[in-house]
Amino acid sequence: MITIEGFLSDDSCARIKKEIAKVPFEDGLKTAGVKMAANVKRNLQMDPVKGQHITDELKTFILNDKRLKETVYPKDIGRIFINRYDPGMEYGIHSDAPMMGALRTDLSFTLFLEDPSEYDGGDLVMHYSHGTVTAKPPKGAIVLYSTGVMHRVEKVTRGSRLACVGWIQSFIREESKREILRELNFVKANYITRNGHDFLADLFLKNVGNLERLWSE
């Protein structure tokens, strides 16, 4: 699981929420394509047609964000939804679809649009073989995780949880390779900050680029 706080600024969150407030919501079951998900999904989703200008803006922002380009190497984004959990709503344990049309879903993401002080419950819980990991970050944070991971959203007991969710196909299919590149990019940035752009930095950049070329598809 990867969390990037401040992915959207407070001003951007406020502006997007104003736009979302103008669009009607509908039963989230309409888009629960996988039977396992349909049996446990209890939420609301923004009308995808009337709110398409909002999701198109978010898709463009996510695909072009430099932090994500060096973290998950996004190639394309499948469907994007704005969902809302009011009191009593939850999403039971499930995994997401491996394909959405012709797009392979390598990563799922949740972009939190509501401050956690505004609602109780609604934690995003990932179930790994070594145990569970819980996320309830500040508004504007994005949480990314491998699409095959079993996960759930805990029941909201107060307020409303508003978020954008979507699925990414990466240029780098395997998470183990993305992790190697993430760590190399981290080392690269820190080396250049401390030592400047010297011959070793160029050699490092060349070999990171070679790995990207070797592994991308």
Side-chain angles (χ1 to χ4, degrees), residues 36-37 40 91-96 145 147-153:
M36 176 171 58
V40 295
Y91 203 154
I93 189 167
H94 65 285
S95 63
D96 296 333
Y145 51 96
T147 297
V149 172
M150 300 284 283
H151 59 285
R152 60 188 169 90
V153 176

Side-chain angles (χ1 to χ4, degrees), residues 2 11 21 44 55 94 97 105 143 158 171 179 189 194 208:
I2 302 165
D11 287 345
L44 299 171
T55 52
H94 65 285
T105 55
V143 174
R158 178 188 65 88
F171 281 105
E179 183 178 16
R194 295 180 184 182
V208 169

